[in-house]
Amino acid sequence: MTGSAKRLGDRLLGGAMIAMLVLVLAFLVTPLLVTCLLAFDARSFLGPLPPPALSMRWFEKLVSLDYVTTGLATSLKIAVLTTAVDVLVGTAAAVALDRSNFPGRSLLMAAFLSPLIVPAVVIGFALLLFLSRIGIVDGFTRLLCGHIVITLPYVVRTVLASLTGRDRRLTEAALVLGATERQAFWNITLPLIRSGMITGAVFAFAVSLDDVAVSMFLTDPSTYTLPVALVSNMRASFDLTIAAAAVLLMAVSAVLIIVLERFVGFDRLLGQGLFRS
C-alpha cells in the first residue's frame, strides 16, 4: 500500500470515528432536549414538535399537586439522612477494611459492595420481607433503610479508593513525631480521603433521590418518594408534568456535577484517580 493510500485510509477512519461520536452524542442529548421542550409546551396535549408556544403551566401544575410536593419533601429528607449515615458508616467501614487483614476480609468487602450488582427489584423485595419480619412497618423508616443499603457501596468504594492511594508514610511520620492514633486520623488520614467522601456523598444523594425500584416496595399510602409519585401520576393520567419534573431533576443533577467539579474535579475523579487529594 502506498503512502497516499495509507493517508486516505487514516482520514476515512478518522472521519468515521467523528461521525460515530456525533451520532452517540446526538443519541444521548436529543431525548433531554425533547424533554426540556415538552416541559415548556403551552398545549394541553402531547403534540408534534416544536411546540407552537411556550409557558410554565406544567411547572405550576407540578408544584400545585399535593402528592408530588409531599413526595419531593420525603425524597429530600430521605436523601439527606441517607447521605449522612452513608458518610459516617461507609467511611468507618472503609477505614476498618483498609487497616485490617483478617480472614474473610474479601468476603466482607464483597458483601458491602453487593448492592451494586444485585438487581434492585431483588433488594426491594428482600428488604420488604426482612423489615416486615422484624416489625418495621413505618414507611419512612423502611425507605431510609432501603436507601442506605443501596447507596452505602458508593461511599465505601470511593473512600477505599482514596485510602488505597494515599501515602501511608505520612501517617507513620505523624505517629513517630508523637501524635496519637486519633490525632493522626483527624489531621492526616481524614484530609487525604476527603475527596473520596465528597464523591461518595454526592453519588449517594443522587442515587437516593432517583431510586424507583426499591422505593416501590417500601412505600406506604402516606409515605412515598418523588419518583414513586411521578410514576403513579403517569399511570393515572399521563400529561407533561412528568417532563417538568424531569427538567427539575436534571437541574439538581447539574448542581451535583458542579459540586463534584468544584470540590473534587473530574480530571482527578476520572482520569487520575481519587487518591490525589
Side-chain angles (χ1 to χ4, degrees):
M1 183 179 293
T2 62
S4 59
K6 288 182 179 179
R7 286 193 293 273
L8 178 60
D10 290 342
R11 284 197 292 270
L12 290 175
L13 181 60
M17 293 179 65
I18 292 174
M20 181 63 70
L21 181 63
V22 171
L23 285 175
V24 171
L25 188 62
F27 183 77
L28 293 175
V29 173
T30 301
L32 301 181
L33 295 178
V34 171
T35 301
C36 291
L37 273 178
L38 291 176
F40 293 97
D41 194 339
R43 293 172 294 187
S44 59
F45 56 91
L46 184 59
L49 293 175
L54 302 179
S55 78
M56 298 291 289
R57 61 176 299 176
W58 299 115
F59 291 93
E60 294 171 356
K61 182 179 179 181
L62 180 69
V63 298
S64 69
L65 297 174
D66 290 338
Y67 67 93
V68 171
T69 54
T70 301
L72 175 61
T74 303
S75 284
L76 291 175
K77 292 176 186 175
I78 293 288
V80 170
L81 290 175
T82 296
T83 303
V85 173
D86 283 348
V87 170
L88 291 175
V89 177
T91 301
V95 171
L97 288 171
D98 179 71
R99 291 185 175 183
S100 305
N101 193 23
F102 54 89
R105 176 178 177 274
S106 299
L107 185 62
L108 185 59
M109 187 179 297
F112 270 112
L113 302 181
S114 60
L116 292 176
I117 56 175
V118 176
V121 174
V122 176
I123 295 176
F125 184 65
L127 281 173
L128 177 62
L129 293 180
F130 174 72
L131 295 175
S132 301
R133 189 74 176 177
I134 63 175
I136 297 178
V137 294
D138 176 63
F140 189 86
T141 306
R142 290 195 309 196
L143 282 169
L144 182 60
C145 293
H147 283 219
I148 289 173
V149 168
I150 62 174
T151 57
L152 186 62
Y154 294 95
V155 178
V156 173
R157 188 69 187 89
T158 54
V159 174
L160 269 177
S162 297
L163 287 166
T164 303
R166 79 184 192 283
D167 190 347
R168 297 174 185 271
R169 292 174 297 181
L170 296 174
T171 304
E172 294 171 359
L175 295 174
V176 169
L177 292 173
T180 63
E181 286 279 353
R182 182 176 60 82
Q183 290 172 328
F185 176 78
W186 283 104
N187 297 322
I188 304 297
T189 304
L190 198 59
L192 290 176
I193 64 175
R194 182 181 56 192
S195 61
M197 295 170 63
I198 294 174
T199 304
V202 171
F203 277 118
F205 185 86
V207 172
S208 173
L209 201 63
D210 185 57
D211 175 73
V212 178
V214 173
S215 300
M216 291 288 287
F217 285 93
L218 305 177
T219 56
D220 62 23
S222 60
T223 309
Y224 48 85
T225 61
L226 176 62
V228 174
L230 294 176
V231 171
S232 300
N233 179 59
M234 191 169 61
R235 287 176 177 172
S237 60
F238 181 80
D239 57 31
L240 295 179
T241 53
I242 187 73
V247 170
L248 292 179
L249 290 177
M250 280 192 277
V252 173
S253 301
V255 171
L256 293 178
I257 291 172
I258 292 172
V259 169
L260 267 181
E261 172 60 24
R262 172 67 178 82
F263 290 98
V264 181
F266 284 109
D267 56 341
R268 183 181 301 166
L269 177 64
L270 302 176
Q272 302 176 17
L274 291 166
F275 54 87
R276 293 188 178 180
S277 303

